[in-house]
Amino acid sequence: MADTQLVQRLEGIRKILLAHHAAGAMLPNATKGNEREALLREFLTKVFPPPIRFGSGAVIDQFERISGQIDVVAEFPFFPSFPTPGAAERLYLAESVSFAIEVKSNLAAQWSQVEHSAEAFLPLRRTWSGHLEFHGQTLGVSEASTSRVPFVAIGYGGFGSVEALEKRLNETPEERRPDAALVLESGAYVGLLTGSRGIGAAGLFAFCIDATHFATNVLMASPNLTGYFQTNGHAAD
């Protein structure tokens, strides 16, 4: 049986996020978009302890691929990212990103935009010389490899049930499909990488658990970041 205090707290958080979003519904689209993304970043910053850092910007990899603008980027605590002086946006190396989030007012109505963002983001690859990570319940050491960055779609409104959300995900081509999706209004959540499902408070909780997994499954890593300059024809020192 779910803990009553946890359920009440999660339901309260969900209602507060929705109330703040509703309060800005009549604002211009650009302002409204900035508010909904900042609100979610603020929520995540308070839920997750340091050293996890949340921001926004674009992500590049060592193969000259670049994402579009990413609403919320969660960073590993051991690699650099590069801000523009005087601005909040950052340029992230793929190896520094644990997961990324696309934020929408209505996930169902704006699903085509999610697909477009996913198609640009999913080809990005993190290049490791080696890393230490959890495989299920087992701690393992992996040698040179590449890995994908998890991509999550979150909507304030949209699908009213886990079944409807899962159906939409399954009908989306793999190269355009987010790895997980959450609707705050209903609490519907589906995590394809982990098999997580939930509705209401359980859905928000499942998202937080999956986000924790994405942010902590790589415990230590050794990337070859000089590849960024070598790939672009410039020799690194």
Side-chain angles (χ1 to χ4, degrees):
M1 181 179 295
D3 183 273
T4 302
Q5 295 301 320
L6 178 59
V7 171
Q8 289 180 349
R9 177 57 57 90
L10 289 165
E11 288 292 358
I13 290 171
R14 209 159 53 84
K15 289 175 181 177
I16 289 170
L17 288 170
L18 290 168
H20 279 286
H21 178 250
M26 300 305 293
L27 293 172
N29 285 338
T31 303
K32 183 167 59 176
N34 289 338
E35 279 201 349
R36 69 172 182 249
E37 293 147 19
L39 179 61
L40 189 59
R41 284 195 299 272
E42 174 75 6
F43 159 68
L44 292 169
T45 298
K46 291 182 177 179
V47 168
F48 290 92
I52 300 172
R53 181 169 63 183
F54 295 92
S56 62
V59 184
I60 60 173
D61 71 8
Q62 298 191 40
F63 307 98
E64 300 188 359
R65 291 180 287 238
I66 184 168
S67 72
Q69 172 70 16
I70 302 301
D71 297 329
V72 182
V73 177
E75 292 183 79
F76 287 122
F78 32 76
F79 300 135
S81 61
F82 303 94
T84 300
E89 302 301 305
R90 289 177 175 267
L91 181 65
Y92 298 90
L93 310 181
E95 289 80 7
S96 72
V97 180
S98 58
F99 65 95
I101 300 175
E102 174 95 347
V103 186
K104 295 298 179 189
S105 288
N106 188 296
L107 206 56
Q110 297 171 291
W111 190 260
S112 62
Q113 296 176 26
V114 171
E115 288 188 37
H116 178 76
S117 297
E119 188 172 33
F121 187 86
L122 293 176
L124 294 168
R125 291 293 181 271
R126 301 179 291 205
T127 303
W128 310 112
S129 297
H131 62 280
L132 184 67
E133 66 177 351
F134 277 112
H135 299 280
Q137 302 300 315
T138 304
L139 183 64
V141 178
S142 298
E143 297 183 353
S145 64
T146 61
S147 66
R148 222 170 32 76
V149 184
F151 184 74
V152 182
I154 295 181
Y156 283 86
F159 302 95
S161 68
V162 171
E163 292 76 17
L165 179 57
E166 187 168 26
K167 182 175 184 293
R168 192 68 187 88
L169 282 164
N170 289 335
E171 290 175 348
T172 302
E174 186 175 356
E175 67 274 11
R176 298 171 63 88
R177 182 173 63 208
D179 297 302
L182 169 69
V183 179
L184 289 167
E185 186 175 36
S186 64
Y189 176 75
V190 176
L192 296 178
L193 296 180
T194 60
S196 300
R197 304 289 187 276
I199 191 76
L204 182 57
F205 185 69
F207 160 71
C208 291
I209 296 304
D210 277 2
T212 301
H213 169 73
F214 298 150
T216 61
N217 69 324
V218 176
L219 302 178
M220 186 179 298
S222 177
N224 178 14
L225 299 182
T226 59
Y228 281 92
F229 278 82
Q230 292 170 352
T231 297
N232 289 283
H234 301 284
D237 292 334

